[in-house]
Amino acid sequence: MTPADLPGVHRVSEIVHPSFPEAPEIFAERCALAPEGCHVLVGPEQRYFGYMVAHPWTRGMPPKLDTLIGAIPSSPDAFYIHDLALVPEARGTGAAADIVDRIVALSDGLGLPEMTLISVNDTTRFWGRFGFIVDPDPLYTERLLSYSDDARFMRRPAFAR
């Protein structure tokens, strides 16, 4: 993902996550802070089909929706998947599994003890295929409120498959 991709990324986010709007500045900041975790799926004629935004973070403190983070922590202890979005035509193509596998490999390569994410839209089964499990700790309740009633905090221990 580069700054030139950001308008396409924002369009995909509006299609895929209309209930979870985020300002374009959120994507720009994540791309600038952690370019290694930001990827796009672009098809013919520069049509954007999806994106992934992930970055090193602090375990147990997922950022609230539509919130700038300012900086990557100096001593991160988790790799946080901020967002994975694919337009309907790209689903079922293997693209999601491919990018998740790449991000898992990146996280494992950094030696961080776990990955985390917030699952929305009833996607816990999808994330479970990659070793993520729901963490029901009430500590996350306030942060999940910025998402939805079905939001679930999930973690994946390093090297879990």
Side-chain angles (χ1 to χ4, degrees):
M1 184 184 297
T2 68
D5 294 314
L6 295 174
V9 167
H10 193 253
R11 279 192 300 280
V12 169
S13 77
E14 290 177 324
I15 293 166
V16 176
H17 298 306
S19 300
F20 308 104
E22 291 197 289
E25 294 79 18
I26 302 301
F27 300 107
E29 179 193 55
R30 300 307 198 279
C31 185
L33 293 174
E36 69 282 359
C38 299
H39 302 269
V40 292
L41 177 61
V42 180
E45 300 175 11
Q46 285 301 106
R47 181 155 180 244
Y48 287 82
F49 287 97
Y51 64 85
M52 164 71 83
V53 176
H55 53 83
W57 199 240
T58 303
R59 181 179 8 199
M61 292 301 295
K64 290 182 180 179
L65 183 66
D66 198 32
T67 302
L68 295 171
I69 60 174
I72 299 297
S74 59
S75 297
D77 58 5
F79 203 75
Y80 179 70
I81 296 178
H82 174 77
D83 198 2
L84 169 62
L86 292 175
V87 297
E89 308 92 278
R91 295 178 192 155
T93 65
D98 180 54
I99 192 59
V100 172
D101 284 341
R102 288 184 197 190
I103 292 299
V104 165
L106 173 62
S107 176
D108 287 349
L110 293 172
L112 296 170
E114 73 178 5
M115 296 182 73
T116 61
L117 60 85
I118 295 175
S119 167
V120 296
N121 295 333
D122 197 29
T123 56
T124 55
R125 278 191 24 217
F126 168 81
W127 291 111
R129 292 183 7 218
F130 301 96
F132 286 86
I133 57 170
V134 172
D135 184 337
D137 191 322
L139 168 72
Y140 310 116
T141 302
E142 178 195 344
R143 295 199 177 252
L144 295 176
L145 290 176
S146 68
Y147 289 83
S148 65
D149 291 342
D150 77 335
R152 300 291 179 264
F153 183 74
M154 299 185 77
R155 7 175 118 238
R156 174 197 171 272
F159 308 110
R161 290 278 177 167

